[in-house]
Amino acid sequence: MAKDPRNDSPWAGAKPRTERVSKREREALAARAPGPRPRDDRDGGRRDVRRDVPPPARDPRRAATAPASPEAARDPASREQRLYGLNACLAAFARRPEALRKVYLSEARIGALRTVLAWCVQRRIGYRVVETGDLDRLAASRHHEGVCFDLLRPEPLALAALLDAQPPAPQASLLLWLDGVGNPHNLGALLRSAAHFGAGGVIVPAQAGLDVSGAAARVAEGAAEVVPLVQADDAQHALRELHARGYVLAATVPRDGSPLYATTLPRRLVLVLGAEGEGTSEAMIGSADLRLTIPGSGAIESLNVAASVAVLLGEYWRQAHA
């Protein structure tokens, strides 16, 4: 007998579920949403409740990389991103609710997501209550915290637009330049520190292909919606533009730099941070106006990039607000 191709699916044997939200509760959710209520229809406003859960997210090891080819850029699927984690999803909804395309949630999260569900009902956006195992597969992670959103990606921000949004010289402004950082958990952690200490944005070379993945957004706990990440197409042109706007570039090095706590930090500063292991490239160190080292006991060579960012930004904040 021929093999049933459906048995090869990661969803084989899974039982798709519909929402457990009653018709009366859906009507109450719709009433809370701003704007005109949608007309009634036969399914009571539910969307996609009979469809199987879609296939899992892309390989998480590649989730931090933006599409590299023009063909991928034209693929409609590449225009969407999958976020998970309660704070990450709520922050994205608060900043750009019009980008929401689909919601998956556990039954336990219905109460926390009532505003989102009201929005979905009012605008006929699909949402589903699913099992924890389904969310594990959708997020390619067990750290989804009971919720997963599909959203349109925000439009890319150009470097010039980022710089125009910063306070003009000689006012204080702080930016980050990531030289080879690729770990999504480190990216998420440093975005969280950047938001806490008021950094204006993060710049990465376009050829690095770094983007905010679901894992990075979850670790950032909403900071990915606050701190813009900009890809610089031409690194040398970007460095010249930063200098023209009055910024000083400070490369962080594990040794032989100016001790952080004994250095008066420039008010307009770009902190250059390198990847785990390799550190900041020699080319970027050579382009920097200043080298900074975080002093310590010497028991280990250095902090990881996420911890380094927290220390550096904390010292910048202390000096700027002393």
Side-chain angles (χ1 to χ4, degrees):
M1 185 171 63
K3 184 178 179 181
D4 187 345
R6 291 175 295 179
N7 292 334
D8 291 333
S9 167
W11 301 102
K15 296 180 179 180
R17 298 178 57 199
T18 61
E19 306 95 326
R20 293 189 180 180
V21 183
S22 68
K23 180 178 180 181
R24 178 177 296 177
E25 189 167 12
R26 285 195 301 273
E27 291 172 349
L29 288 169
R32 293 175 191 160
R37 291 184 58 188
R39 62 178 179 83
D40 292 334
D41 60 11
R42 293 181 182 179
D43 69 1
R46 294 181 298 175
R47 296 284 291 171
D48 295 337
V49 297
R50 297 180 180 84
R51 289 165 55 183
D52 289 341
V53 177
R58 296 179 299 164
D59 185 342
R61 293 170 296 180
R62 300 179 62 189
T65 304
S69 66
E71 291 76 13
R74 288 193 294 267
D75 182 2
S78 70
R79 297 182 60 237
E80 292 191 1
Q81 62 180 166
R82 177 160 291 166
L83 299 186
Y84 56 89
L86 184 61
N87 287 340
C89 288
L90 287 177
F93 177 73
R95 289 268 176 166
R96 43 193 179 101
E98 71 288 344
L100 190 61
R101 289 296 175 267
K102 193 68 179 283
V103 173
Y104 304 92
L105 70 157
S106 67
E107 190 170 4
R109 286 300 187 196
I110 291 175
L113 295 169
R114 287 192 184 279
T115 301
V116 177
L117 298 182
W119 177 274
C120 291
V121 170
Q122 202 261 347
R123 286 161 177 79
R124 302 188 183 281
I125 295 170
Y127 68 92
R128 295 196 66 202
V129 177
V130 297
E131 302 286 355
T132 298
D134 295 331
L135 286 167
D136 291 347
R137 289 184 283 272
L138 283 163
S141 170
R142 294 184 178 180
H143 302 292
H144 46 70
E145 300 170 2
V147 60
C148 182
F149 284 4
D150 286 343
L151 306 99
L152 290 179
R153 291 183 179 275
E155 289 296 323
L157 183 66
L159 177 63
L162 173 69
L163 296 180
D164 288 343
Q166 306 308 305
Q171 297 181 51
S173 177
L174 176 64
L175 301 171
L176 302 178
W177 181 295
L178 304 184
D179 182 35
V181 175
N183 182 291
H185 295 91
N186 280 335
L187 175 60
L190 68 85
L191 286 172
R192 187 172 182 179
S193 294
H196 179 77
F197 289 111
V202 175
I203 304 168
V204 297
Q207 62 269 26
L210 185 64
D211 198 3
V212 178
S213 66
R218 182 193 67 81
V219 175
E221 294 283 352
E225 301 295 328
V226 177
V227 180
L229 187 146
V230 170
Q231 295 185 349
D233 294 325
D234 184 330
Q236 291 303 314
H237 173 78
L239 294 176
R240 289 193 297 270
E241 182 66 17
L242 288 166
H243 279 126
R245 303 265 187 148
Y247 286 94
V248 173
L249 268 67
T252 56
V253 293
R255 66 184 72 85
D256 300 329
S258 301
L260 174 64
Y261 304 121
T263 303
T264 300
L265 298 177
R267 288 174 57 79
R268 296 180 68 79
L269 180 64
V270 179
L271 287 170
V272 181
L273 298 116
E276 295 291 336
E278 296 85 359
T280 307
S281 68
E282 290 297 327
M284 283 302 301
I285 292 174
S287 300
D289 308 295
L290 176 66
R291 300 182 186 186
L292 292 174
T293 296
I294 300 173
S297 67
I300 57 172
E301 183 178 35
S302 63
L303 298 170
N304 77 1
V305 66
S308 296
V309 165
V311 172
L312 290 158
L313 298 189
E315 177 61 14
Y316 178 89
W317 179 273
R318 186 193 68 80
Q319 293 189 23
H321 294 83

PDB file of all heavy atoms in Angstrom, residues 178-193:
ATOM      1  N   LEU A 178      27.497  47.091  15.809  1.00  0.00           N
ATOM      2  CA  LEU A 178      27.796  45.686  16.055  1.00  0.00           C
ATOM      3  C   LEU A 178      28.647  45.143  14.917  1.00  0.00           C
ATOM      4  O   LEU A 178      28.217  45.121  13.765  1.00  0.00           O
ATOM      5  CB  LEU A 178      26.512  44.872  16.199  1.00  0.00           C
ATOM      6  CG  LEU A 178      25.534  45.353  17.279  1.00  0.00           C
ATOM      7  CD1 LEU A 178      24.355  44.394  17.389  1.00  0.00           C
ATOM      8  CD2 LEU A 178      26.234  45.518  18.613  1.00  0.00           C
ATOM      9  N   ASP A 179      29.836  44.699  15.262  1.00  0.00           N
ATOM     10  CA  ASP A 179      30.810  44.234  14.276  1.00  0.00           C
ATOM     11  C   ASP A 179      30.901  42.714  14.351  1.00  0.00           C
ATOM     12  O   ASP A 179      31.760  42.162  15.034  1.00  0.00           O
ATOM     13  CB  ASP A 179      32.175  44.884  14.554  1.00  0.00           C
ATOM     14  CG  ASP A 179      33.221  44.489  13.535  1.00  0.00           C
ATOM     15  OD1 ASP A 179      32.864  44.319  12.358  1.00  0.00           O
ATOM     16  OD2 ASP A 179      34.399  44.348  13.919  1.00  0.00           O
ATOM     17  N   GLY A 180      29.978  42.030  13.665  1.00  0.00           N
ATOM     18  CA  GLY A 180      30.029  40.571  13.623  1.00  0.00           C
ATOM     19  C   GLY A 180      29.195  39.862  14.665  1.00  0.00           C
ATOM     20  O   GLY A 180      29.193  38.626  14.725  1.00  0.00           O
ATOM     21  N   VAL A 181      28.470  40.570  15.493  1.00  0.00           N
ATOM     22  CA  VAL A 181      27.613  39.928  16.493  1.00  0.00           C
ATOM     23  C   VAL A 181      26.482  39.214  15.761  1.00  0.00           C
ATOM     24  O   VAL A 181      25.804  39.803  14.920  1.00  0.00           O
ATOM     25  CB  VAL A 181      27.049  40.968  17.481  1.00  0.00           C
ATOM     26  CG1 VAL A 181      26.067  40.315  18.444  1.00  0.00           C
ATOM     27  CG2 VAL A 181      28.186  41.628  18.237  1.00  0.00           C
ATOM     28  N   GLY A 182      26.260  37.933  16.085  1.00  0.00           N
ATOM     29  CA  GLY A 182      25.229  37.175  15.389  1.00  0.00           C
ATOM     30  C   GLY A 182      24.327  36.357  16.277  1.00  0.00           C
ATOM     31  O   GLY A 182      23.263  35.923  15.847  1.00  0.00           O
ATOM     32  N   ASN A 183      24.732  36.133  17.532  1.00  0.00           N
ATOM     33  CA  ASN A 183      23.923  35.314  18.430  1.00  0.00           C
ATOM     34  C   ASN A 183      22.621  36.042  18.766  1.00  0.00           C
ATOM     35  O   ASN A 183      22.643  37.157  19.282  1.00  0.00           O
ATOM     36  CB  ASN A 183      24.724  35.029  19.702  1.00  0.00           C
ATOM     37  CG  ASN A 183      23.964  34.132  20.661  1.00  0.00           C
ATOM     38  OD1 ASN A 183      22.965  34.532  21.250  1.00  0.00           O
ATOM     39  ND2 ASN A 183      24.449  32.917  20.827  1.00  0.00           N
ATOM     40  N   PRO A 184      21.447  35.431  18.472  1.00  0.00           N
ATOM     41  CA  PRO A 184      20.178  36.151  18.702  1.00  0.00           C
ATOM     42  C   PRO A 184      19.913  36.455  20.167  1.00  0.00           C
ATOM     43  O   PRO A 184      19.295  37.474  20.490  1.00  0.00           O
ATOM     44  CB  PRO A 184      19.126  35.205  18.122  1.00  0.00           C
ATOM     45  CG  PRO A 184      19.774  33.870  18.080  1.00  0.00           C
ATOM     46  CD  PRO A 184      21.224  34.119  17.863  1.00  0.00           C
ATOM     47  N   HIS A 185      20.386  35.603  21.080  1.00  0.00           N
ATOM     48  CA  HIS A 185      20.162  35.874  22.499  1.00  0.00           C
ATOM     49  C   HIS A 185      21.009  37.058  22.968  1.00  0.00           C
ATOM     50  O   HIS A 185      20.539  37.891  23.760  1.00  0.00           O
ATOM     51  CB  HIS A 185      20.474  34.621  23.326  1.00  0.00           C
ATOM     52  CG  HIS A 185      19.537  33.487  23.044  1.00  0.00           C
ATOM     53  ND1 HIS A 185      19.786  32.541  22.074  1.00  0.00           N
ATOM     54  CD2 HIS A 185      18.324  33.178  23.584  1.00  0.00           C
ATOM     55  CE1 HIS A 185      18.783  31.685  22.038  1.00  0.00           C
ATOM     56  NE2 HIS A 185      17.881  32.042  22.930  1.00  0.00           N
ATOM     57  N   ASN A 186      22.234  37.152  22.468  1.00  0.00           N
ATOM     58  CA  ASN A 186      23.046  38.334  22.787  1.00  0.00           C
ATOM     59  C   ASN A 186      22.435  39.598  22.185  1.00  0.00           C
ATOM     60  O   ASN A 186      22.420  40.655  22.825  1.00  0.00           O
ATOM     61  CB  ASN A 186      24.476  38.155  22.266  1.00  0.00           C
ATOM     62  CG  ASN A 186      25.322  37.293  23.178  1.00  0.00           C
ATOM     63  OD1 ASN A 186      25.053  37.192  24.373  1.00  0.00           O
ATOM     64  ND2 ASN A 186      26.334  36.656  22.626  1.00  0.00           N
ATOM     65  N   LEU A 187      21.932  39.487  20.953  1.00  0.00           N
ATOM     66  CA  LEU A 187      21.296  40.653  20.330  1.00  0.00           C
ATOM     67  C   LEU A 187      20.097  41.099  21.157  1.00  0.00           C
ATOM     68  O   LEU A 187      19.919  42.292  21.427  1.00  0.00           O
ATOM     69  CB  LEU A 187      20.869  40.309  18.905  1.00  0.00           C
ATOM     70  CG  LEU A 187      20.084  41.404  18.170  1.00  0.00           C
ATOM     71  CD1 LEU A 187      20.904  42.679  18.044  1.00  0.00           C
ATOM     72  CD2 LEU A 187      19.632  40.916  16.791  1.00  0.00           C
ATOM     73  N   GLY A 188      19.267  40.160  21.580  1.00  0.00           N
ATOM     74  CA  GLY A 188      18.110  40.520  22.387  1.00  0.00           C
ATOM     75  C   GLY A 188      18.492  41.160  23.707  1.00  0.00           C
ATOM     76  O   GLY A 188      17.894  42.164  24.130  1.00  0.00           O
ATOM     77  N   ALA A 189      19.515  40.598  24.362  1.00  0.00           N
ATOM     78  CA  ALA A 189      19.944  41.140  25.662  1.00  0.00           C
ATOM     79  C   ALA A 189      20.512  42.542  25.510  1.00  0.00           C
ATOM     80  O   ALA A 189      20.240  43.426  26.332  1.00  0.00           O
ATOM     81  CB  ALA A 189      20.971  40.207  26.299  1.00  0.00           C
ATOM     82  N   LEU A 190      21.305  42.772  24.463  1.00  0.00           N
ATOM     83  CA  LEU A 190      21.887  44.116  24.319  1.00  0.00           C
ATOM     84  C   LEU A 190      20.831  45.133  23.882  1.00  0.00           C
ATOM     85  O   LEU A 190      20.918  46.306  24.252  1.00  0.00           O
ATOM     86  CB  LEU A 190      23.100  44.096  23.392  1.00  0.00           C
ATOM     87  CG  LEU A 190      22.953  43.827  21.902  1.00  0.00           C
ATOM     88  CD1 LEU A 190      22.625  45.080  21.118  1.00  0.00           C
ATOM     89  CD2 LEU A 190      24.259  43.219  21.361  1.00  0.00           C
ATOM     90  N   LEU A 191      19.819  44.703  23.138  1.00  0.00           N
ATOM     91  CA  LEU A 191      18.717  45.611  22.810  1.00  0.00           C
ATOM     92  C   LEU A 191      17.969  46.027  24.075  1.00  0.00           C
ATOM     93  O   LEU A 191      17.560  47.182  24.228  1.00  0.00           O
ATOM     94  CB  LEU A 191      17.750  44.958  21.830  1.00  0.00           C
ATOM     95  CG  LEU A 191      18.214  44.838  20.369  1.00  0.00           C
ATOM     96  CD1 LEU A 191      17.227  43.998  19.569  1.00  0.00           C
ATOM     97  CD2 LEU A 191      18.384  46.213  19.730  1.00  0.00           C
ATOM     98  N   ARG A 192      17.816  45.092  24.989  1.00  0.00           N
ATOM     99  CA  ARG A 192      17.136  45.411  26.253  1.00  0.00           C
ATOM    100  C   ARG A 192      17.926  46.434  27.049  1.00  0.00           C
ATOM    101  O   ARG A 192      17.379  47.406  27.592  1.00  0.00           O
ATOM    102  CB  ARG A 192      16.932  44.126  27.056  1.00  0.00           C
ATOM    103  CG  ARG A 192      16.084  44.308  28.310  1.00  0.00           C
ATOM    104  CD  ARG A 192      15.777  42.975  28.938  1.00  0.00           C
ATOM    105  NE  ARG A 192      14.932  43.132  30.123  1.00  0.00           N
ATOM    106  CZ  ARG A 192      14.496  42.120  30.860  1.00  0.00           C
ATOM    107  NH1 ARG A 192      14.807  40.864  30.525  1.00  0.00           N
ATOM    108  NH2 ARG A 192      13.739  42.351  31.912  1.00  0.00           N
ATOM    109  N   SER A 193      19.256  46.250  27.117  1.00  0.00           N
ATOM    110  CA  SER A 193      20.098  47.228  27.816  1.00  0.00           C
ATOM    111  C   SER A 193      20.073  48.574  27.098  1.00  0.00           C
ATOM    112  O   SER A 193      20.037  49.626  27.740  1.00  0.00           O
ATOM    113  CB  SER A 193      21.537  46.705  27.908  1.00  0.00           C
ATOM    114  OG  SER A 193      21.616  45.558  28.727  1.00  0.00           O
TER     115      SER A 193
END
